[in-house]
Amino acid sequence: SSLVDNWVNEIRKWLPQSASRGALFVQSGGKNPDVTIGRFLNFHSSVHPILVLSYEMFRSFSNALNCVDSLDVIVCDEGHRLKNADGTQTLNALSMCRACKRIVLTGTPVQNNLKELYTLVNFVQPGYLGDLDEFSSEFIQPIENGFQITGDGDTVRDRMIRSAQCHAILNLRSKLTFVLLRRTKEMVLKAILPARHDVIVRCKMSQELFSQYESQVRECLEDGAGDGGLLDTASLASEAGEEENLDTGKSENRSRKSLLILPLIMRLRQMCNSNSGGFTHPSGKSVDNVKMKILLMMLKSLYGTREERLYKKMEDLEKIVIVSNFNATLNNVAAMCSRHGWPSLRIDGSVHSSKRQQLVNQFNGKSTPFLVMLLSSKAGGVGLNLTGACRLVLLDPDWNPA
């Protein structure tokens, strides 16, 4: 729904009034979507040339929409949602659309593997890269084989693998030239936006937090020690052997270890951000969090005290977006902003999608009092244009850089 809201604004901003006035928008959970889609089906060639709707809505009304044979173009924003090479209901429904042209917009055509890229290209231009088996043998296998080389890679076999990898990469780039148009912010907005500066601030743990960190790791390891547990070195050594020698029991041990490790990693990530979840020093004292201290210093340097802001114009103050994967961390930052009088807004999973664009508009407005936007990475990853801020802080990186 936030995607639809964003397209509403963009269409009204950029298209002639004659086109934007006739555009139809279908919100998830909105009233009478069947009536709106019925108007588009009956009058798309004259009165209503544009229909904007969510993937879920398209899937729900795909039988009717896919019967229209006079559509000029279908545009799929955040197209990486279609990346599953095995197909999804949404991808299958969109593939049946009779539009003359297909366009996929995405910032991450590859998130995990080249099969995702194949799926997007095959949707836009079916058969252009052959079937998946052909694409795999011609491109995926030689490219991935090259990344498996360890050490110096100076053997004749390693050099042959490297050569095959380079050949596959060059061929794939050449083929993609005809179906992929890549545009970066630097290329499009270089004359408008100043250069972006990325700064990695390394936050060393306090001694108290480090002690708690080690304690959590030790506790989990001891819980899994022995009998194929996390500290069972014999078990770990056996798992390093050939895959075909693994029996059912060993596979179960591996699964049990994964169940222990993943929650531990999640707890450790949370611990690095905040004291929530009972992470306190054994003495009962609150554990200092260096990351939060540095964030506080940064915000103070931008906004100062309430008294200092009385002498500044609101439009002269820089706005900032603060992103985290954890609601507990956002709670801590929200409390910090409240204590120091820095007005903030927040978008996370609890904010209904129909309300998000309203919050975005409030934050982007030049004369609004809100200086800080608190954003959960999941809720903020799709369809939000937070153009009001000139600084962004990622408090904790996610697994996948994409």
Side-chain angles (χ1 to χ4, degrees), residues 99-113:
C100 300
K101 301 180 181 69
R102 296 176 178 178
I103 298 175
V104 170
L105 306 177
T106 177
T108 50
V110 180
Q111 285 184 294
N112 300 295
N113 54 62

Side-chain angles (χ1 to χ4, degrees), residues 3-239:
L3 269 179
V4 174
D5 290 331
N6 190 52
W7 275 93
V8 171
N9 292 338
E10 296 301 318
I11 286 172
R12 289 173 178 168
K13 180 177 181 179
W14 296 105
L15 290 188
Q17 193 175 38
S18 57
S20 61
R21 186 185 299 158
L24 296 173
F25 308 98
V26 180
Q27 299 282 11
S28 295
K31 295 180 179 179
N32 303 321
D34 52 333
V35 174
T36 304
I37 290 175
R39 288 167 60 193
F40 175 77
L41 294 175
N42 292 323
F43 304 108
H44 64 274
S45 60
S46 55
V47 183
H48 302 297
I50 300 171
L51 175 67
V52 182
L53 72 172
S54 66
Y55 285 107
E56 292 74 22
M57 278 294 175
F58 185 95
R59 192 171 65 237
S60 298
F61 291 91
S62 59
N63 289 338
L65 291 168
N66 288 341
C67 289
V68 181
D69 55 8
S70 55
L71 295 179
D72 293 314
V73 61
I74 180 171
V75 180
C76 298
D77 196 5
E78 300 293 344
H80 48 268
R81 288 191 54 175
L82 311 177
K83 65 185 181 182
N84 194 333
D86 297 325
T88 62
Q89 289 183 351
T90 300
L91 178 60
N92 294 338
L94 289 165
S95 297
M96 300 297 291
C97 181
R98 300 182 184 182
C100 300
K101 301 180 181 69
R102 296 176 178 178
I103 298 175
V104 170
L105 306 177
T106 177
T108 50
V110 180
Q111 285 184 294
N112 300 295
N113 54 62
L114 286 173
K115 286 183 180 179
E116 298 171 355
L117 176 64
Y118 170 84
T119 303
L120 298 184
V121 173
N122 197 57
F123 170 73
V124 172
Q125 190 100 335
Y128 180 72
L129 295 175
D131 61 34
L132 184 55
D133 289 337
E134 293 170 342
F135 181 76
S136 180
S137 61
E138 185 176 356
F139 298 110
I140 295 179
Q141 292 177 13
I143 290 174
E144 291 186 349
N145 287 343
F147 293 125
Q148 303 303 318
I149 296 175
T150 58
D152 296 333
D154 286 337
T155 66
V156 174
R157 180 177 178 275
D158 288 346
R159 288 196 292 270
M160 291 176 62
I161 292 174
R162 291 283 193 202
S163 176
Q165 182 191 42
C166 292
H167 183 72
I169 290 174
L170 291 174
N171 281 350
L172 181 56
R173 284 181 177 172
S174 177
K175 290 184 75 72
L176 291 177
T177 302
F178 299 97
V179 293
L180 189 148
L181 181 65
R182 185 170 184 264
R183 289 290 181 265
T184 63
K185 290 185 177 69
E186 290 76 15
M187 297 166 65
V188 179
L189 301 173
K190 186 175 182 179
I192 302 173
L193 293 179
R196 189 184 78 185
H197 299 284
D198 295 334
V199 179
I200 298 175
V201 181
R202 302 193 181 278
C203 307
K204 186 177 181 180
M205 292 184 188
S206 64
Q207 188 57 48
E208 293 87 352
L209 182 58
F210 184 70
S211 298
Q212 277 295 88
Y213 193 97
E214 282 193 316
S215 176
Q216 287 287 322
V217 174
R218 195 180 304 111
E219 181 182 325
C220 186
L221 292 176
E222 288 172 354
D223 286 345
D227 193 23
L230 288 172
L231 294 182
D232 188 347
T233 54
S235 173
L236 291 172
S238 68
E239 287 184 7

